[in-house]
Amino acid sequence: MIGAGRAVLTGGLMLTLAACGAGRMQNACIDSGRAGANPAICGCIQAVADRELDRGERRIAASFYDTPQRAQDIRQSDDPADRRFWDRYTAFGDEVERACARLR
């Protein structure tokens, strides 16, 4: 999951994380216990989330690690706010795939 030069991105990520501490997405990722969830991947996901999602959207997205059903409920919702969120979340996922591909 990382696209740009690994050393450059990882170095920038470490600087960012050192400056502001781990974020909600990174913590949820690491705490999930999923295979492949490591500080580099989870830090990259957090960095993309910080760029692509607002604070409330990051909170919702982080909740998906603990309650995947919530993602399904939002994805299937007819509520216009949920549709807007899901479109942004999908774009976020695409950007994570692009930006974090080399960390897999």
Side-chain angles (χ1 to χ4, degrees):
M1 289 195 197
I2 265 198
R6 182 178 182 170
V8 172
L9 184 57
T10 303
L13 251 142
M14 292 306 172
L15 205 78
T16 300
L17 293 174
C20 66
R24 186 183 298 262
M25 291 289 291
Q26 183 178 17
N27 289 337
C29 175
I30 290 170
D31 293 345
S32 72
R34 291 191 170 101
N38 63 59
I41 290 281
C42 296
C44 182
I45 291 169
Q46 180 68 55
V48 174
D50 289 345
R51 286 193 314 268
E52 303 294 325
L53 302 173
D54 67 32
R55 185 182 316 182
E57 291 167 335
R58 290 191 302 269
R59 181 180 44 77
I60 293 167
S63 76
F64 295 165
Y65 284 96
D66 288 330
T67 54
Q69 184 60 44
R70 185 167 187 210
Q72 274 297 91
D73 294 343
I74 290 173
R75 185 182 70 82
Q76 295 174 333
S77 173
D78 291 329
D79 183 285
D82 287 344
R83 296 291 336 140
R84 285 189 301 275
F85 168 79
W86 195 257
D87 289 344
R88 289 184 48 78
Y89 181 73
T90 300
F92 157 73
D94 293 343
E95 182 60 17
V96 165
E97 284 294 323
R98 187 196 66 72
C100 304
R102 291 191 183 155
L103 292 178
R104 284 192 266 179

